[in-house]
């Protein structure tokens, strides 16, 4: 299709893990809310503005990865491919449009393969891409973001006993925030995902969330290292 290079978005997840683990050490509000799902962030901030300051203001893994690519080649055209349609909105925002040029879903990529008569079964495997850690690769599954932050906060900063709450689907996210707002639950770390099962349940996927989740877990286990090392990846 004309792409020059493929890079794991989990690289950006690693960058976010380190940043959010650091943010946790200085959090001032009731909790630290993850910021990797743009739909969750918008919903949380619009529905519970009094809790908005608790949601991290960091970029999503898509943007962190795109920033790395632009650092090495300012003229590169960066295209994010995944199951998420919220990323299409995110890429159009003023603060992100300079990093991400286009967003494709897996469905759209499959349509391009058909249009260009590309039969994947006839193409051999390329050398493995090893841009990210096991924890970063696990972001796409529900609990993956929170688990990465908790593990990294313990490993890097010696922080233990972080109480964690997560929800996937926006209705469950709103229910979670309602309980936090009322004080019936008091987590230290909150992960929100708009789609069932996490990113793997995005509307642009080609696989069922349980199947995709198994593949994500298997892929994560094959990572060359366990903890984020995003500053060690070469351009």
């Amino acid at each position: 299709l004309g792409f020059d290079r493929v890079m794991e978005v989990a690289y950006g997840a690693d960058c976010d893990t380190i940043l959010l683990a650091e943010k946790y050490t200085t959090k001032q509000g009731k909790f630290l809310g993850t910021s990797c799902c743009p739909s969750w962030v918008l919903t949380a901030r619009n529905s519970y503005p009094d809790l908005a300051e608790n949601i991290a203001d960091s970029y999503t893994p898509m943007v962190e990865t795109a920033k790395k690519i632009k650092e090495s080649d300012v003229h590169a055209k960066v295209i994010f491919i995944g199951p998420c349609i919220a990323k299409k909105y995110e890429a159009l925002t003023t603060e992100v449009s300079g990093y991400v040029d286009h967003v494709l879903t897996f469905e759209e990529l499959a349509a391009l393969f058909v249009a260009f008569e590309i039969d994947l079964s006839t193409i051999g495997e390329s050398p493995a891409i090893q841009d990210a850690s096991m924890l970063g690769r696990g972001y796409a599954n529900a609990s993956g973001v929170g688990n990465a932050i908790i593990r990294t906060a313990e490993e890097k900063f010696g922080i233990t006993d972080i109480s964690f709450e997560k929800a996937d689907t926006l209705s469950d996210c709103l229910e979670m925030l309602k309980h936090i707002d009322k004080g019936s639950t008091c987590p230290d770390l909150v992960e929100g995902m708009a789609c069932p099962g996490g990113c793997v349940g995005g509307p642009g996927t080609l696989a069922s969330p349980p199947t995709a989740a198994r593949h994500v877990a298997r892929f994560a286990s094959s990572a060359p290292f366990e903890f984020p090392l995003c500053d060690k990846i070469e351009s």
Side-chain angles (χ1 to χ4, degrees):
L1 291 177
F3 288 88
D4 295 309
R5 180 183 173 190
V6 177
M7 186 171 180
E8 288 187 64
V9 73
Y11 165 87
D14 279 347
C15 295
D16 276 328
T17 296
I18 293 174
L19 179 61
L20 291 171
E22 290 175 346
K23 282 181 177 290
Y24 183 83
T25 65
T26 58
K27 76 178 180 69
Q28 302 296 323
K30 293 181 178 180
F31 62 88
L32 175 67
T34 61
S35 54
C36 299
C37 172
S39 292
W40 140 256
V41 171
L42 285 172
T43 299
R45 289 176 176 166
N46 290 336
S47 302
Y48 287 89
D50 291 344
L51 297 177
E53 65 178 14
N54 297 280
I55 308 297
D57 57 0
S58 57
Y59 284 123
T60 62
M62 173 184 78
V63 182
E64 290 293 346
T65 307
K67 286 168 61 180
K68 181 67 175 180
I69 296 170
K70 293 286 190 178
E71 284 176 10
S72 60
D73 183 359
V74 69
H75 300 296
K77 294 295 183 183
V78 178
I79 301 174
F80 173 81
I81 302 171
C84 182
I85 58 173
K87 294 291 195 299
K88 291 179 178 288
Y89 159 79
E90 184 185 12
L92 292 174
T93 61
T94 302
E95 58 186 325
V96 173
S97 60
Y99 300 118
V100 180
D101 296 285
H102 303 285
V103 171
L104 294 175
T105 66
F106 290 140
E107 285 185 327
E108 291 166 334
L109 179 64
L112 285 173
F113 289 150
V114 172
F116 282 82
E117 299 182 345
I118 296 173
D119 182 357
L120 297 182
S121 66
T122 65
I123 300 174
E125 291 188 15
S126 300
I129 300 170
Q130 304 283 18
D131 291 326
S133 72
M134 181 188 74
L135 293 176
R137 287 181 175 182
Y139 259 50
N141 285 340
S143 298
V145 180
N147 179 58
I149 296 168
I150 291 169
R151 296 279 303 282
T152 302
E154 182 175 4
E155 175 76 11
K156 189 175 178 64
F157 301 107
I159 300 172
T160 59
D161 300 323
I162 298 175
S163 61
F164 172 54
E165 191 168 347
K166 63 93 176 176
D168 49 294
T169 75
L170 290 181
S171 60
D172 284 352
C173 286
L174 287 171
E175 188 71 13
M176 176 177 66
L177 288 172
K178 181 177 75 173
H179 290 302
I180 294 173
D181 191 47
K182 288 182 176 180
S184 53
T185 60
C186 300
D188 298 317
L189 178 66
V190 171
E191 175 195 292
M193 292 282 199
C195 297
C199 302
V200 293
T205 188
L206 291 173
S208 69
T211 299
R214 288 194 297 271
H215 282 289
V216 167
R218 189 179 306 123
F219 181 59
S221 68
S222 70
F225 42 90
E226 180 178 3
F227 291 94
L229 295 170
C230 67
D231 57 327
K232 302 293 180 64
I233 302 297
E234 296 181 359
S235 299

